Amino acid sequence: MSPISGTPVGHLPPEIRGQSRNNLVPVPLSILRQQAPPHYLLDEGDILGIYIEGIMPPKAGADQTEAAPPVHFPEAGSDLPPAVGYPIPIRDDGTLPLPLVDPIQVRGMTLTEVEAAIRKAYVVDRNILKEGRDRILVSLMRERTYRVIVIREDEDDSLALPGGGRGGSGSQGSIVGGASRSGSGYTLDLPAYKNDVMHALAQTGGLPGLNAKNEVKILKANRVGQLDANGMPMMVMPGMVGADGMVGADGMVAGDCYGGCMPHDPCYSGFNPNEDYDPTAIRIPLRVAPGQMPHLQPADIILEEGDIVVVEARDTEVFYTGGLLPGGQFPIPRDYDLDVVGAMAIAGQGLGSSGPSQGGGGFLGGGFAGASPTQLYVMRTTPYGDQFNISVDLNKALNDKSERLMIQPGDTLILRYKPCEELVNFSLVTFFTYGIRELFSN
């Protein structure tokens, strides 16, 4: 076997050892929903029920019966009360077209304010109706909606457990993803003041599952084609939150970029600066370090027409095994740390077992099988594509927690014998081989 060299764990700087996930806490879910105003504010797309006696419907003749205003009952699942009147939609410019008067600007008004504006138009401005004898009813018949798309890649929970199976342990050749990966898509019509990230997730299955990233990605339709001051497409680094950046426990602000969390956040352990740029994306972390909070602007969590909400699979958050370990590919736990000892157990190689078996034996107690392998190399790739090797002495790792390197996405674990262990095993094999031969020769 070719020699391998590596940097000892104790010589690694903290930033290379990896970010811990154990202490992350969930963000308050209330930050994912918008605060509705006390009264519904109208805008384009709303449909109002309007009844103006003598105008809508027109005044009946002496020999005709006065028509009763129509009553509209809301659709199933709607929170609106029954509406009275004729349906009149609000135009794109925010005006309400009515007979005999100029269009009335109603954008940003409440129903009470619209009723007052209609009364002023017919009674004061045009003198069509007499003051005190006007009967005007205004109600909300249908609230405006925003059509958004939700893409979820966390439908198959079998990928959430180490080893790639439901409740199973790691096995030789275990593979994650591939043909097993599945997802789903939803088209939602979210009513006004419910068009936010929390409602979109609630209607499509809830928070991301264990086999999905602990974040929500939003592709904003209104940012497509935006250019910076130099005329270049805006590039947004994953993880930067809102217009003011990430505010940490020390009060420092990360930077002025659009939505998400900083690249050094644990949910971005697989960050690749060459692939993860997206000028239309906002990334909202769902777990952060204590004392930190995603600083989101209201526009970051409000969904507009054409926005896309993506719950991404974390099928790239895996580690690989080789050498004396059973070869395979295994997922890394999402919400807690995994060190080299736990990774070997997942791969099916317990400390003290000799060679590629399914565990067993005391530490360095391989019996006639010889000395157990205690030299582990972790091949790690940096976000910028550089690779370096880390040397882990399992003798030290068993007794010293600081020697237990945390596994990061993309790591490759190679288990080998130390030269002294190779020598012990060779001596044992030679001794027993020679002894048995001499026994039978006599």
Side-chain angles (χ1 to χ4, degrees), residues 65-77:
T65 303
E66 189 74 23
V71 178
H72 172 79
F73 290 93
E75 300 175 355

Side-chain angles (χ1 to χ4, degrees), residues 361-403:
F363 191 59
L364 288 179
F368 290 104
S372 299
T374 61
Q375 182 62 64
L376 181 70
Y377 291 98
V378 179
M379 304 170 63
R380 179 164 296 179
T381 303
T382 68
Y384 297 93
D386 299 327
Q387 179 178 302
F388 61 95
N389 298 336
I390 304 172
S391 173
V392 181
D393 188 333
L394 297 180
N395 280 318
K396 296 180 180 179
L398 186 65
N399 299 292
D400 187 355
K401 185 177 180 181
S402 63
E403 293 289 329

Side-chain angles (χ1 to χ4, degrees), residues 155-177:
E155 292 298 308
D156 187 2
D157 287 337
S158 65
L159 306 185
L161 299 175
R166 297 186 181 275
S169 60
S171 58
Q172 187 169 353
S174 177
I175 300 297
V176 180

Side-chain angles (χ1 to χ4, degrees), residues 38 186 237 305 331 409 419:
Y186 306 84
M237 184 171 291
E305 187 78 19

Side-chain angles (χ1 to χ4, degrees), residues 186-202:
Y186 306 84
T187 300
L188 305 179
D189 291 320
L190 299 176
Y193 304 117
K194 295 182 181 178
N195 56 317
D196 50 47
V197 175
M198 190 70 255
H199 282 90
L201 293 177

Side-chain angles (χ1 to χ4, degrees), residues 270-442:
F271 169 68
N272 187 332
N274 300 317
E275 298 179 357
D276 286 354
Y277 285 122
D278 192 338
T280 68
I282 296 174
R283 293 176 181 266
I284 303 177
L286 300 182
R287 290 173 67 91
V288 295
Q292 290 188 346
M293 184 64 63
H295 190 77
L296 299 174
Q297 299 296 319
D300 293 334
I301 55 96
I302 295 178
L303 303 177
E304 303 293 344
E305 187 78 19
D307 287 353
I308 303 175
V309 178
V310 182
V311 176
E312 295 180 308
R314 58 182 194 94
D315 49 358
T316 58
E317 295 187 11
V318 297
F319 69 93
Y320 306 91
T321 57
L324 297 178
L325 290 173
Q329 172 182 307
F330 304 88
I332 296 175
R334 188 188 68 175
D335 297 332
Y336 57 90
D337 294 338
L338 177 68
D339 59 29
V340 291
V341 176
M344 290 178 59
I346 289 176
Q349 179 79 14
L351 284 180
S353 59
S354 57
S357 64
Q358 296 298 320
F363 191 59
L364 288 179
F368 290 104
S372 299
T374 61
Q375 182 62 64
L376 181 70
Y377 291 98
V378 179
M379 304 170 63
R380 179 164 296 179
T381 303
T382 68
Y384 297 93
D386 299 327
Q387 179 178 302
F388 61 95
N389 298 336
I390 304 172
S391 173
V392 181
D393 188 333
L394 297 180
N395 280 318
K396 296 180 180 179
L398 186 65
N399 299 292
D400 187 355
K401 185 177 180 181
S402 63
E403 293 289 329
R404 300 176 190 173
L405 182 70
M406 286 187 296
I407 302 300
Q408 299 297 304
D411 284 353
T412 300
L413 279 61
I414 304 295
L415 182 64
R416 306 187 75 169
Y417 287 106
K418 293 179 180 178
C420 60
E421 295 163 352
E422 291 276 15
L423 180 60
V424 168
N425 291 337
F426 176 77
S427 301
L428 289 175
V429 172
T430 303
F431 173 77
F432 282 104
T433 302
Y434 177 78
I436 294 175
R437 187 181 63 180
E438 288 297 319
L439 177 64
F440 282 99
S441 65
N442 295 326

Side-chain angles (χ1 to χ4, degrees), residues 36-322:
H39 303 284
Y40 189 92
L41 301 180
L42 300 172
D43 206 337
E44 62 175 292
D46 288 323
I47 299 179
L48 301 182
I50 306 294
Y51 173 75
I52 306 174
E53 187 178 33
I55 305 296
M56 298 176 64
K59 187 175 182 180
D63 57 342
Q64 295 179 333
T65 303
E66 189 74 23
V71 178
H72 172 79
F73 290 93
E75 300 175 355
S78 175
D79 297 333
L80 297 178
V84 178
Y86 295 89
I88 305 294
I90 298 178
R91 292 173 172 174
D92 294 344
D93 59 358
T95 61
L96 185 69
L98 293 174
L100 306 179
V101 297
D102 295 331
I104 302 173
Q105 180 61 242
V106 298
R107 173 173 284 149
M109 290 185 176
T110 64
L111 294 177
T112 302
E113 293 171 340
V114 172
E115 184 175 324
I118 295 176
R119 181 170 285 106
K120 179 177 179 294
Y122 280 96
V123 176
V124 179
D125 297 341
R126 300 296 295 269
N127 200 23
I128 297 175
L129 300 176
K130 293 183 179 181
E131 186 174 0
R133 301 189 63 181
D134 53 294
R135 292 183 60 194
I136 300 175
L137 300 177
V138 179
S139 54
L140 182 60
M141 186 171 291
R142 179 178 297 176
E143 51 202 344
R144 62 187 180 275
T145 59
Y146 300 87
R147 176 158 292 187
V148 301
I149 298 174
V150 179
I151 304 297
R152 304 194 61 130
E153 299 177 346
D154 59 346
E155 292 298 308
D156 187 2
D157 287 337
S158 65
L159 306 185
L161 299 175
R166 297 186 181 275
S169 60
S171 58
Q172 187 169 353
S174 177
I175 300 297
V176 180
S180 299
R181 178 172 174 175
S182 63
S184 58
Y186 306 84
T187 300
L188 305 179
D189 291 320
L190 299 176
Y193 304 117
K194 295 182 181 178
N195 56 317
D196 50 47
V197 175
M198 190 70 255
H199 282 90
L201 293 177
Q203 294 188 29
T204 57
L207 296 176
L210 291 177
N211 60 322
K213 295 182 179 180
N214 230 332
E215 67 176 22
V216 178
K217 180 179 178 181
I218 306 171
L219 305 179
K220 304 293 288 186
N222 58 8
R223 293 185 184 175
V224 176
Q226 285 189 354
L227 303 178
D228 60 17
N230 299 321
M232 300 297 291
M234 279 189 175
M235 306 306 288
V236 184
M237 184 171 291
M240 295 187 176
V241 183
D244 299 324
M246 171 76 77
V247 179
D250 56 359
M252 299 298 292
V253 179
D256 294 336
C257 293
Y258 292 112
C261 68
M262 294 302 294
H264 60 256
D265 188 274
C267 65
Y268 292 102
S269 54
F271 169 68
N272 187 332
N274 300 317
E275 298 179 357
D276 286 354
Y277 285 122
D278 192 338
T280 68
I282 296 174
R283 293 176 181 266
I284 303 177
L286 300 182
R287 290 173 67 91
V288 295
Q292 290 188 346
M293 184 64 63
H295 190 77
L296 299 174
Q297 299 296 319
D300 293 334
I301 55 96
I302 295 178
L303 303 177
E304 303 293 344
E305 187 78 19
D307 287 353
I308 303 175
V309 178
V310 182
V311 176
E312 295 180 308
R314 58 182 194 94
D315 49 358
T316 58
E317 295 187 11
V318 297
F319 69 93
Y320 306 91
T321 57

